[in-house]
Amino acid sequence: MQLTSTTDYAIRIVCYLAAQRQMISTSELSQELSVPASYIPKITKKLKQAGIIKACEGIKGGYQIAKQPENISLRDVISCTESTMAISRCLEKEEGCSKNYIACCKVHQILLDLQNIYNNRLESVKISDIIRPGKDEYLGKFYVIIKVNLREKDYECIYSHNHDVYEQVKIAESYDDFIKKYAEKYICEADWINVQKCLAGENLTEHLVDGCVEEEIFYRGIIENNGTSYV
C-alpha cells in the first residue's frame, strides 16, 4: 500500500499542532508545512471527526491538537485519510477472496501476518515519538545479523530487519567501518563510544578459542566459532 499525499499532509499537520500546542491558523500550517491552503480544510475535517484535532472559527481561529501526543498513534492518523488499511483485498472482509480459499490459502495467511505486523508497528509509534527533538531519538526496533571474518576484518550482512540499514551497511569498507557508520546513524549519540568499543574488531578476538563460545556483550549476543562471529 502506498500512502497518499493527503495522508502525508495529515501527518505533517498533526505533528506540527502537537509540537506547537496552541491554536494554529490555516495560513501558518500552509506556509510552514508546504500544504496547499485550499486543501487543509479537507484534511482537518477528517482529523477533527476522529477527535485528533479541534477547530475554532473566527479571526483568531484555527486548529489545535485535541489529545496528548502520546495518545495518538501513527495508525490513528493514517486511518483517517486512507480508504483502507488492508494491504490486500482478501483482508478487508471474509468474502474478499474471489475463490473463497481463505481457510486454506497460504498466501492469505502470509499477508495476514504482514498486516498484523504493519498495524501493530503503526500503532506502536506515537506522535510524541515523532516530534521529540533531537536525531538521537529511537523510533523503532530493528536488528542486523552480520558474519564477521575476524582474521580479514571484513564482514557480510546476512539479514537486516530494516532494509534501509542493510543498504547503509553494504557501503562500509570494513567491519570496523561498519560499526562506526552503524553507531553514528542508528545509535543514540550518548552510546556511540560504548557501542563502538564493545563491538570493535579487536574486542571480538579477546576471548576467541577453538570451538564455539557464546557470551552476552552490552546488549548484543555474539557467537564466535573458528574465527567467525555473528553479531
Side-chain angles (χ1 to χ4, degrees), residues 187-222:
I187 303 297
C188 173
E189 186 172 359
D191 293 330
W192 281 3
I193 296 178
N194 287 337
V195 171
Q196 291 184 62
K197 284 184 177 180
C198 172
L199 299 179
E202 57 268 21
N203 290 341
L204 299 183
T205 61
E206 286 183 356
H207 307 291
L208 184 64
V209 296
D210 292 335
C212 180
V213 176
E214 180 177 350
E215 62 178 299
E216 290 291 329
I217 300 182
F218 198 58
Y219 54 88
R220 312 294 169 108
I222 295 182

